[in-house]
Amino acid sequence: DTGVSQDPRHKITKRGQNVTFRCDPISEHNRLYWYRQTLGQGPEFLTYFQNEAQLEKSRLLSDRFSAERPKGSFSTLEIQRTEQGDSAMYLCASIRGLNTEAFFGQGTRLTVV
Amino acid sequence: DQQVKQNSPSLSVQEGRISILNCDYTNSMFDYFLWYKKYPAEGPTFLISISSIKDKNEDGRFTVFLNKSAKHLSLHIVPSQPGDSAVYFCAASGTTSGTYKYIFGTGTRLKVLA
């Protein structure tokens, strides 16, 4: 059990550029979540997958955001035309089953300049 | 619409004493509750959880209490240690209603003084 892995840990990008983050969940965890956290706030739900199916998306997830989980394994979160308001910590979590804890990765810190 | 609320942004406790962190929720469909601990620049780490069929769950120094009628849960840490200093988040989900996402509060920063 190597835990949830996120890459990169840090990303600095210029406004208007596209960025992509990757999350490798714990193997055999069928559900994968993306959250965003800004200073002084708790993690805010963005979207989640059950296997390869994206089952729910938050209203926070504008059309500039897209997430995929091909083959139900790793997941990617892409932000197009980044804005300064996108600066945040992006967290990935995976879960096996129901009514159990989510395991979080260490996050990707995005800074849009 | 903040469905999970932690009204105390910070708490300071002397080492060895009890820390009590509180959390309120508004959605009566929530049936599973969790507490997470977070250090700066790291992801949240799971601490303890409780199902709505229970009113107490204990794991070592950590105990979570659930009062469904008041829609309130609390985390007790006894005895508090300096290493417990971190931000604590409560979270809730409602699997029986098909809400599989975990909704988090805004966190309480705990400082344990040596």
Side-chain angles (χ1 to χ4, degrees):
Chain A
D1 183 352
T2 57
V4 178
S5 176
Q6 291 190 244
D7 183 71
R9 292 290 309 277
H10 304 275
K11 178 72 176 177
I12 299 175
T13 190
K14 291 183 178 179
R15 189 174 51 190
Q17 298 293 304
N18 300 342
V19 294
T20 299
F21 310 141
R22 177 181 171 122
C23 172
D24 287 273
I26 295 171
S27 59
E28 299 179 355
H29 278 196
N30 60 337
R31 281 189 285 143
L32 185 150
Y33 293 73
W34 284 100
Y35 284 83
R36 179 175 70 186
Q37 186 175 19
T38 53
L39 197 62
Q41 299 296 315
E44 296 175 293
F45 170 78
L46 292 178
T47 188
Y48 94 91
F49 293 83
Q50 182 159 313
N51 300 313
E52 67 274 10
Q54 188 174 19
L55 296 187
E56 188 171 349
K57 292 198 296 186
S58 164
R59 286 171 292 178
L60 293 173
L61 218 64
S62 74
D63 56 4
R64 296 185 298 106
F65 288 71
S66 62
E68 294 182 342
R69 192 182 182 197
K71 302 179 183 177
S73 56
F74 72 92
S75 177
T76 58
L77 178 68
E78 181 183 15
I79 308 174
Q80 296 182 326
R81 305 180 303 280
T82 52
E83 302 172 354
Q84 286 190 320
D86 297 330
S87 296
M89 173 78 86
Y90 289 84
L91 295 162
C92 175
S94 69
I95 302 174
R96 181 174 62 186
L98 295 175
N99 281 359
T100 185
E101 67 268 27
F103 292 85
F104 280 85
Q106 292 193 303
T108 294
R109 167 73 63 188
L110 172 67
T111 303
V112 181
V113 297
Chain B
D1 180 19
Q2 190 70 26
Q3 298 185 68
V4 178
K5 300 176 185 178
Q6 294 177 258
N7 292 319
S8 298
S10 62
L11 175 68
S12 292
V13 172
Q14 206 67 33
E15 181 179 7
R17 306 296 292 269
I18 184 170
S19 295
I20 300 176
L21 295 95
N22 294 303
C23 178
D24 297 292
Y25 62 95
T26 57
N27 190 337
S28 59
M29 299 303 290
F30 287 150
D31 57 10
Y32 185 64
F33 305 88
L34 311 92
W35 284 94
Y36 281 84
K37 175 180 178 180
K38 188 178 185 300
Y39 294 116
E42 293 186 9
T45 302
F46 170 75
L47 273 177
I48 192 168
S49 63
I50 188 166
S51 165
S52 60
I53 62 173
K54 296 184 174 181
D55 54 19
K56 176 183 174 181
N57 189 25
E58 190 172 354
D59 184 2
R61 296 186 298 115
F62 303 92
T63 302
V64 55
F65 295 91
L66 176 62
N67 182 333
K68 288 188 292 293
S69 61
K71 295 191 179 67
H72 177 84
L73 66 155
S74 60
L75 174 68
H76 292 208
I77 307 173
V78 182
S80 301
Q81 299 173 353
D84 295 329
S85 297
V87 179
Y88 289 77
F89 294 98
C90 66
S93 71
T95 53
T96 54
S97 62
T99 305
Y100 296 106
K101 61 189 178 190
Y102 289 63
I103 307 296
F104 284 80
T106 52
T108 296
R109 181 177 301 278
L110 174 65
K111 187 171 185 179
V112 180
L113 307 169

